[in-house]
Amino acid sequence: MGSFVMDLLASLPKGDALAEPAWNSRHRGILSILWLHVLSVPMFGIYMEASPSLYLGGGGLLAFIAVAARLSVVRRRLQSAIATCGLMTASALLVHLSGGQIELHFHFFVMMSVIVLYQDWFPFLVGLQFIILDHGVVGTLMPDMVYGHAQGQTHPWTWALIHGGFILAECAALLYFWRVNELAQNEVRQSEARTRMIIETALDAVITSDATGTITGWNTQAELMFDVPRTEAIGKYLTTYVSASYPSTEPGPITPYAGLVPGAILNRRSEMLGHTCQGTSFPVEIAMSCLTVGGTQQFTIFVQDISERKQQEERLHRAKEAAEAASLAKSQFLANMSHEIRTPMNGVLGMTELLLTTPLNDKQRRYADTVHNSGTSLLHIINDILDFSKIEAGRLVLEYIPFGLRQMLTETIGLYHEQARKKGLTLSVTIAPESPDMVHGDPHRLRQILTNLVGNALKFTETGNVAVFVRPDDGDQGRVRIEVTDTGIGIPLHAQEKIFDSFSQADGSMTRKYGGTGLGLAIVKQLVGMMGGQLGLTSTPGQGTTFWFTISVDRSGSPETESQPHRSDETTPTMSTRQQPDN
């Protein structure tokens, strides 16, 4: 039983929850209804031909109550109780003036609904007690004034209970809707409190303004960011504290939001300048949104100080420029040094070749051959470094001349027949009949690509064969696909991803066993990209590797194409790797 009572009390409205503005508005409306009765009660008394003393006195009493309910010296709960007494008195007068007609009793129901607008238990209980006094006490003592029928006058208490039951039922319904409304208001207040807390604790400045740009809201972070207190900022224009980063010298179009920050775009981030009260400026990023409520536009502006981000960007930009300058200086240094070293090296090789043509004993010839072979290897390394540095520096330019593709391929592969014969390998080239013959491009760089790939295939193949296949790329006569296949040691899957990187080889032990700088495939990658092609490989460790590449070839040889040489900084090739399944 105790828990039931507690639950019942918890389900009742708490009361006295209206804010001051809402209470004042409702109180004025209820007093307006009371003043309406000040006029309507005497008019109704005249219509019912009642005693003038009753309706004139009643009208005066209602006027006095209406004035008393408006006195500022009276607390608002007492004001609401006085107004309630006035409404209940008006209802009783209408019933008494009509001689207790049953229809006039409904006026009490209407007035109770009006009194609930206060959402306060004090006026509600006052109204309920007034009804009990009027129907119970007055109805018992003077039933002819309250109940306008014979049964009511004969059994007034029975009809008092009947009327009381209806009043209680109405009060229960009013209390229910009162509680529902109270819960909804509490939820709204809690939501508003949460929103205010989020805004006040936000790390960004949150500013609200109307359509003219007048500031209406200014959170704590805005006070800290702009060094302006809330009371001073509210009422000023938003442009006082936020402006465009680069003011335009030309007048822009007039927009509906001319009072807001020029250059700001709704629902998009924009970089602006913030201004403190001391006149200092700092970079900010703002995001502005608009909400229309009741035909009025409300703007919310989120402001973030991006001073640290800008400083970081500036540091990164300077570091990038320094790194690019260092890389360019390195590439230029390598190119110059490679050129300077290659000139005397050619002299060494030339004089060694002349020495080999003179009469030498076996020991002297062996020494001279070693010098010549070592010099040749060193010259190849220098040439690779020179090409690589030119590509990095963006100074390598492709030729665009007509040449015979079949003849170039045959001659290039022919250079390696003797090397393949010495290792006991089979070297072959297969050119599809539909492959183009006369094309325009750079035959020297294409030969360099083939030389690197075929040379690597022969270097890493001990037994079996090396084969070169040439055909149009997927039937496209404007592109050629060239594959170099060997039966060598293969490349592990983990090494395939970095095989085309500069100074990279599949295994560190390869350098000791086979030699090389790891620049050859990096140069091939860059040259293929400059020719508008793709580069890739498939490999199975222990079974062999296939390197393939595609290049664009031009059969037309149009002047427009010839006048536009390809530079090394224009294109990077697309590469793909795939490991063949084990057979």
Side-chain angles (χ1 to χ4, degrees), residues 169-210:
E170 183 203 19
C171 287
L174 291 174
L175 289 175
Y176 172 77
F177 288 107
W178 177 4
R179 181 57 176 166
V180 170
N181 181 265
E182 193 175 67
L183 290 175
Q185 289 182 347
N186 288 337
E187 187 174 348
V188 170
R189 281 193 291 269
Q190 291 175 5
S191 177
E192 291 176 348
R194 286 193 298 268
T195 302
R196 284 195 298 270
M197 181 184 68
I198 292 172
I199 291 176
E200 287 302 318
T201 58
L203 297 179
D204 294 342
V206 182
I207 306 171
T208 58
S209 73
D210 56 21

Side-chain angles (χ1 to χ4, degrees), residues 68-179:
R70 190 60 178 166
L71 294 176
S72 58
V73 296
V74 181
R75 297 178 60 183
R76 75 175 195 177
R77 297 193 75 183
L78 186 56
Q79 289 182 23
S80 62
I82 294 173
T84 299
C85 290
L87 294 177
M88 293 295 103
T89 301
S91 297
L93 286 171
L94 291 174
V95 171
H96 300 333
L97 289 173
S98 68
Q101 292 186 13
I102 192 65
E103 291 81 6
L104 270 300
H105 286 267
F106 288 103
H107 197 275
F108 283 100
F109 292 87
V110 176
M111 292 301 100
M112 287 299 296
S113 300
V114 172
I115 292 168
V116 171
L117 293 175
Y118 281 119
Q119 293 190 12
D120 191 354
W121 277 105
F122 188 44
F124 184 81
L125 293 176
V126 168
L128 195 60
Q129 291 174 2
F130 196 101
I131 295 175
I132 293 173
L133 290 174
D134 183 76
H135 282 63
V137 178
V138 178
T140 301
L141 299 177
M142 293 177 287
D144 56 326
M145 295 182 63
V146 179
Y147 306 113
H149 50 87
Q151 291 186 356
Q153 296 177 11
T154 305
H155 306 285
W157 273 107
T158 301
W159 286 95
L161 291 175
I162 293 174
H163 282 241
F166 285 120
I167 290 293
L168 289 177
E170 183 203 19
C171 287
L174 291 174
L175 289 175
Y176 172 77
F177 288 107
W178 177 4
R179 181 57 176 166

Side-chain angles (χ1 to χ4, degrees), residues 302-548:
F302 300 88
V303 185
Q304 183 181 26
D305 187 348
I306 58 173
S307 299
E308 292 185 5
R309 191 179 80 186
K310 286 294 185 182
Q311 292 171 2
Q312 182 66 15
E313 289 177 355
E314 180 63 24
R315 287 194 293 267
L316 290 175
H317 180 69
R318 289 197 297 267
K320 177 176 177 292
E321 288 183 339
E324 290 176 347
S327 177
L328 180 60
K330 177 203 69 175
S331 299
Q332 291 176 344
F333 172 77
L334 287 175
N336 293 333
M337 289 302 297
S338 299
H339 178 74
E340 294 299 326
I341 295 173
R342 187 169 57 174
T343 300
M345 182 56 64
N346 285 327
V348 172
L349 291 176
M351 295 307 295
T352 305
E353 290 175 358
L354 291 176
L355 179 61
L356 289 171
T357 61
T358 62
L360 299 172
N361 58 36
D362 292 341
K363 187 176 183 179
Q364 291 173 334
R365 185 169 298 277
R366 186 170 66 253
Y367 288 166
D369 284 334
T370 302
V371 172
H372 187 269
N373 292 334
S374 299
T376 302
S377 298
L378 181 57
L379 184 60
H380 287 318
I381 294 174
I382 293 172
N383 287 335
D384 284 346
I385 294 175
L386 181 60
D387 287 341
F388 183 74
S389 60
K390 281 185 177 180
I391 291 173
E392 278 201 332
R395 294 166 55 186
L396 186 65
V397 180
L398 296 181
E399 291 183 325
Y400 190 81
I401 59 175
F403 67 95
L405 180 60
R406 295 171 182 266
Q407 180 182 356
M408 188 277 298
L409 290 170
T410 303
E411 291 177 352
T412 302
I413 304 303
L415 298 174
Y416 290 93
H417 279 303
E418 181 62 22
Q419 181 180 347
R421 186 189 63 79
K422 290 181 178 180
K423 295 188 68 173
L425 303 176
T426 301
L427 178 60
S428 63
V429 56
T430 303
I431 303 176
E434 62 270 21
S435 299
D437 187 9
M438 291 301 299
V439 296
H440 287 71
D442 191 331
H444 171 66
R445 295 303 175 183
L446 180 55
R447 183 180 293 109
Q448 185 177 359
I449 294 172
L450 286 170
T451 299
N452 271 288
L453 296 181
V454 174
N456 282 344
L458 292 172
K459 180 192 299 184
F460 297 107
T461 303
E462 298 298 333
T463 61
N465 60 81
V466 175
V468 180
F469 300 94
V470 183
R471 59 180 174 84
D473 185 27
D474 295 331
D476 185 357
Q477 297 296 322
R479 297 180 68 84
V480 172
R481 180 185 178 96
I482 301 176
E483 299 178 359
V484 179
T485 302
D486 63 60
T487 57
I489 61 176
I491 302 173
L493 181 60
H494 70 274
Q496 295 179 22
E497 299 178 356
K498 60 179 182 179
I499 196 67
F500 296 104
D501 295 343
S502 304
F503 306 103
S504 175
Q505 290 188 338
D507 188 347
S509 61
M510 300 297 178
T511 303
R512 295 189 297 271
K513 182 176 180 180
Y514 296 99
T517 61
L519 285 177
L521 291 179
I523 295 173
V524 168
K525 168 187 169 182
Q526 297 291 342
L527 292 177
V528 170
M530 293 170 62
M531 294 181 179
Q534 295 179 327
L535 174 65
L537 70 93
T538 59
S539 182
T540 301
Q543 297 184 18
T545 303
T546 297
F547 282 91
W548 60 266

